[in-house]
Amino acid sequence: MKLSTRGRYGLRAMFELARHYGEGPLSIKNIARRQNISEHYLEQLIAALKKKGLVRSIRGSQGGYILSRKPGDIKVGDIIRALEGPIAPVECVRDNDSETCSRTDICVARTVWKKVKDSIIEVLDTTTLEDMCNEEEKIRKEKERFMYYI
Amino acid sequence: MKLSTRGRYGLRAMFELARHYGEGPLSIKNIARRQNISEHYLEQLIAALKKKGLVRSIRGSQGGYILSRKPGDIKVGDIIRALEGPIAPVECVRDNDSETCSRTDICVARTVWKKVKDSIIEVLDTTTLEDMCNEEEKIRKEKERFMYYI
DNA sequence: GCTAATTCCTACTATATTTCTCGGCCTTTA
DNA sequence: TAAAGGCCGAGAAATATAGTAGGAATTAGC
């Protein structure tokens, strides 16, 4: 049950954009270098993010990408969904409708997967890019304090 | 972030064994037929489960497999781990040690994945095969009551 | 002891998915 | 008008998944 690089790289790229929110566009080359991701590959990921309206592009020289809304309004879940499709450990719990499986035994497994799905979504949809920025700041300060005492 | 058939089939097979716990061994052919899984493929999955000590085999004619302990003592997490390896959405949170990433930005993403991992494990390790059997029974009873009123 | 049922084992294959590359066109700023 | 940078589609390479094939070893029952 691994997340592919799409989701991982994508989140890192979006985090990079969040860190520089309000400072003008960041180019793919720039993001790719900072996060150590293949440029062309990242291009495709960002295209998917753009399609879902999470980023806006500015074309031409000195162009690049910016978040389409403030970091606090972008959930990690939005990013993962944009890049990996619906969040669901198995197909049969993808949609939230009440379709029941034909066989009870399968349904019981389904109950487990449903719980897993809900718990994943709970985490991803209660964490925003802003939270991640705050977290980073916290870590930075802790490190600083640590250095002080050396 | 999908679970492969290994985990899905494996859980269904184990559930099948749980349903028949105490009734003697169930052959692969039997399980495969009941759960509609390729025999040879299931064989490989069960081999992995056996290696991890979750099932015991009885060789020869009339042989098959039985759970190595009672359904209440087998967590869904045990099964998934046996078939898919460590439960972790990304590599860097696989082990519970305190290895910190060299780059802070990655670490922040890591914090998110760590939370996801913990929430998945929480669900999978608090659900046993017995729970699934009880769940099935509950569903069965509900259906029965429903039929009664028609 | 023979036969049928069944586990056990190793290898192989086909397909799908993921990850990344290539090359070129279009847009905008300096 | 040149350089920076987004946009786009095809496809290559690597890896993982899902399954196949075939046969050896073991045991119950006759």
Side-chain angles (χ1 to χ4, degrees):
Chain A
M1 191 150 49
K2 291 278 175 297
L3 206 67
S4 75
T5 54
R6 286 179 69 88
R8 290 188 281 132
Y9 290 0
L11 178 59
R12 277 158 57 189
M14 289 294 277
F15 174 56
E16 201 59 43
L17 289 177
R19 288 166 108 187
H20 297 88
Y21 186 65
E23 303 172 11
L26 230 53
S27 71
I28 283 193
K29 190 183 277 186
N30 219 312
I31 302 172
R33 201 184 45 232
R34 286 169 192 266
Q35 292 286 339
N36 196 31
I37 301 172
S38 143
E39 271 182 55
H40 269 82
Y41 188 42
L42 181 59
E43 195 180 300
Q44 288 168 44
L45 307 187
I46 297 222
L49 293 165
K50 192 191 167 189
K51 205 170 154 195
K52 293 287 176 178
L54 298 176
V55 298
R56 278 219 310 269
S57 65
I58 288 136
R59 301 190 66 171
S61 182
Q62 311 307 313
Y65 295 88
I66 53 170
L67 297 183
S68 63
R69 36 187 209 268
K70 61 179 198 287
D73 287 346
I74 298 178
K75 299 177 286 188
V76 175
D78 297 333
I79 298 165
I80 301 305
R81 268 182 285 258
L83 293 167
E84 312 231 2
I87 295 163
V90 302
E91 275 303 307
C92 71
V93 297
R94 213 188 50 205
D95 308 307
N96 252 341
D97 56 23
S98 56
E99 52 158 322
T100 31
C101 298
S102 51
R103 297 196 294 160
T104 323
D105 47 4
I106 296 181
C107 277
V108 178
R110 195 171 173 270
T111 308
V112 178
W113 304 137
K114 179 78 167 56
K115 278 192 215 162
V116 171
K117 175 195 161 189
D118 290 343
S119 80
I120 295 173
I121 288 181
E122 166 67 18
V123 174
L124 296 184
D125 281 351
T126 54
T127 310
T128 67
L129 289 176
E130 193 181 19
D131 296 329
M132 290 178 68
C133 289
N134 292 341
E135 174 77 17
E136 188 191 28
E137 182 66 7
K138 209 182 81 187
I139 291 174
R140 200 188 57 71
K141 280 196 180 144
E142 268 164 22
K143 268 200 187 134
E144 210 166 66
R145 196 171 334 139
F146 175 70
M147 295 305 277
Y148 180 78
Y149 282 110
I150 289 180
Chain B
M1 192 152 49
K2 292 276 175 299
L3 208 67
S4 76
T5 54
R6 287 178 68 90
R8 290 189 279 133
Y9 291 0
L11 179 60
R12 278 158 58 190
M14 288 294 277
F15 174 57
E16 202 57 46
L17 289 176
R19 289 165 106 186
H20 297 88
Y21 185 66
E23 302 172 14
L26 230 54
S27 71
I28 283 191
K29 190 184 274 187
N30 219 313
I31 302 172
R33 201 184 46 233
R34 286 168 192 265
Q35 291 286 340
N36 196 32
I37 300 170
S38 145
E39 271 181 54
H40 268 82
Y41 189 41
L42 181 58
E43 196 179 302
Q44 289 170 45
L45 307 188
I46 298 223
L49 293 165
K50 192 189 168 193
K51 205 170 155 193
K52 294 286 176 179
L54 297 176
V55 299
R56 277 221 308 270
S57 65
I58 289 134
R59 302 190 66 170
S61 183
Q62 311 308 312
Y65 294 88
I66 54 171
L67 296 184
S68 62
R69 36 189 207 266
K70 60 180 198 288
D73 287 346
I74 297 178
K75 299 178 286 189
V76 175
D78 298 332
I79 298 165
I80 301 304
R81 268 182 283 259
L83 293 166
E84 312 232 3
I87 295 164
V90 302
E91 276 301 308
C92 70
V93 297
R94 213 187 51 205
D95 308 306
N96 254 342
D97 55 26
S98 56
E99 51 158 322
T100 32
C101 300
S102 51
R103 297 197 294 158
T104 322
D105 48 5
I106 296 182
C107 278
V108 177
R110 193 170 174 271
T111 309
V112 178
W113 304 137
K114 179 76 167 54
K115 278 193 215 160
V116 172
K117 175 196 163 188
D118 290 344
S119 79
I120 296 173
I121 287 180
E122 165 68 20
V123 173
L124 296 184
D125 280 352
T126 54
T127 310
T128 68
L129 289 176
E130 193 180 21
D131 296 328
M132 291 179 67
C133 289
N134 292 341
E135 174 76 16
E136 188 190 28
E137 183 66 5
K138 210 183 81 187
I139 291 173
R140 202 188 57 69
K141 279 196 179 144
E142 266 163 25
K143 268 200 187 134
E144 210 167 65
R145 196 172 332 138
F146 175 70
M147 295 304 276
Y148 179 77
Y149 281 111
I150 286 181

